Amino acid sequence: MTRRTTLITGATQGMGRGLALDLAARGGTVLLHGRDPVRLGKVAAEVRAAAPDTTIRTYLADLADLDQVYAMADRIRAAEPRLDGVINNAVAGGGTEPLRREVSRQGHELRFAVNHLAPYALTRALLPLLTASAPARVVNVASIGQEAIDFDNLMLERDYEGLRAYCRSKLALIMATFHLAAELAGTGVTVNTLHPAHLMDTDGVRAYGLTPVIGIEEGVRPTVRLLLDPDLATTTGRYFDRFTDTRAHTQAYDIAARERLMQLTHTLIDGETDVRQPEARRSGGGFGEQPPSGPPGRR
């Protein structure tokens, strides 16, 4: 039986650390991403101690810098013989100063950059390895907190507020999930997204002044299910509220809005305006149709 290789972004704390410990206990190879070398080393040591028979490798990158995102993807493609799964878990939350607008290395609004641009750019850059390893799965960790994107104020240069930026970035991630799933139909690579759990016991929840109500293991379980459940082997382009296949925000199913977002996304990540013909270093593919909307559900 083939030993699975899975990449987890944002693995140094919170749910990412929980995912690392869970997947390492199952064997195979687990690739841990972080932006702080000290914290990344500590988590890697902890995971190795907990699962000594599992191969653990680390990849360092600040997802607020697209150059580092692409450099990490290059290193992964060069070093890893296969990649069976990617969990885009890293997140920039609402922030400790909600009214202070921050930007990425490329000057993009920080939450939009880390929560949407980085996972989309990373996934596209890893598509050659994912498709060569198919069947493979991409799981994008989103949120039930979603707010419609204002294309005339995409980077929230007006009326900035951290939670608003977070909610818009998570909807962008969901829209990108649907787009990429349609594009990859028939390749053996599935792409799904989920709200893992509400108010988990994480630093990000506390930093925004909220009170955690459940442990991170409650978010780990539905996330690992999307990655490993054989009953979901062909499920793609779906949004889950924990274990329930449901509807995301209405804008996620607006094809014109999704096309506009993806055109803007490609312009921002690599200057490419035609999403059907990305640069050679990224894997190609065409626009797919709108994914099935799923059963009615809350936003």
Side-chain angles (χ1 to χ4, degrees):
M1 183 176 178
T2 303
R3 287 166 57 89
R4 291 183 57 86
T5 297
T6 304
L7 169 67
I8 306 166
T9 69
T12 59
Q13 61 182 333
M15 196 175 80
R17 173 181 168 275
L19 288 166
L21 289 166
D22 183 289
L23 292 177
R26 302 169 189 267
T29 299
V30 181
L31 311 179
L32 307 179
H33 155 265
R35 64 186 176 94
D36 183 309
V38 175
R39 290 196 309 192
L40 185 57
K42 287 178 64 175
V43 168
E46 179 186 9
V47 176
R48 289 187 181 108
D53 295 329
T54 297
T55 300
I56 306 297
R57 285 191 282 272
T58 60
Y59 289 92
L60 189 68
D62 184 347
L63 300 190
D65 183 347
L66 286 170
D67 291 339
Q68 292 191 41
V69 172
Y70 283 130
M72 179 174 71
D74 288 344
R75 294 195 302 273
I76 292 171
R77 290 202 313 268
E80 304 300 335
R82 64 179 301 111
L83 185 61
D84 303 275
V86 174
I87 302 178
N88 285 305
N89 165 76
V91 62
T96 57
E97 299 178 59
L99 298 182
R100 183 168 69 89
R101 184 177 178 274
E102 301 172 276
V103 297
S104 70
R105 176 68 177 80
Q106 283 72 33
H108 310 318
E109 191 279 313
L110 185 66
R111 275 103 198 131
F112 191 83
V114 173
N115 299 342
H116 166 59
L117 296 179
Y120 181 74
L122 177 63
T123 301
R124 288 203 71 88
L126 292 174
L127 282 181
L129 189 54
L130 285 164
T131 53
S133 307
R137 304 189 195 186
V138 177
V139 178
N140 291 328
V141 179
S143 172
I144 201 169
Q146 302 157 32
E147 181 175 306
I149 296 166
D150 178 356
F151 288 101
D152 294 324
N153 189 23
L154 185 66
M155 295 297 167
L156 277 169
E157 294 171 313
R158 304 185 308 276
D159 303 320
Y160 182 84
E161 196 278 327
L163 187 58
R164 174 179 295 128
Y166 171 86
C167 292
R168 291 186 182 184
S169 71
K170 287 299 188 178
L171 178 56
L173 177 65
I174 292 168
M175 293 166 77
T177 298
F178 292 171
H179 163 77
L180 196 56
E183 179 180 326
L184 295 176
T187 66
V189 179
T190 63
V191 192
N192 292 291
T193 183
L194 84 160
H195 166 66
H198 188 58
L199 293 180
M200 287 182 289
D201 189 3
T202 67
D203 290 344
V205 167
R206 288 196 183 85
Y208 200 76
L210 300 172
T211 302
V213 296
I214 61 173
I216 60 169
E217 66 278 359
E218 294 302 314
V220 168
R221 290 191 297 115
T223 306
V224 171
R225 171 179 174 256
L226 278 186
L227 182 76
L228 299 179
D229 190 339
D231 290 341
L232 299 176
T234 60
T235 299
T236 192
R238 312 298 295 181
Y239 166 73
F240 290 78
D241 181 355
R242 303 203 73 228
F243 298 99
T244 303
D245 183 347
T246 188
R247 282 185 67 86
H249 189 286
T250 302
Q251 193 181 44
Y253 306 97
D254 181 333
I255 296 176
R258 202 161 68 224
E259 287 194 18
R260 187 174 183 185
L261 173 68
M262 299 317 300
Q263 293 281 0
L264 290 167
T265 295
H266 276 260
T267 299
L268 292 170
I269 65 175
D270 57 20
E272 176 59 61
T273 57
D274 184 351
V275 299
R276 294 165 295 180
Q277 299 176 13
E279 294 178 0
R281 68 177 289 173
R282 261 70 82 186
S283 180
F287 265 122
E289 296 300 317
Q290 177 183 10
S293 60
R298 66 182 185 274
R299 286 176 54 177

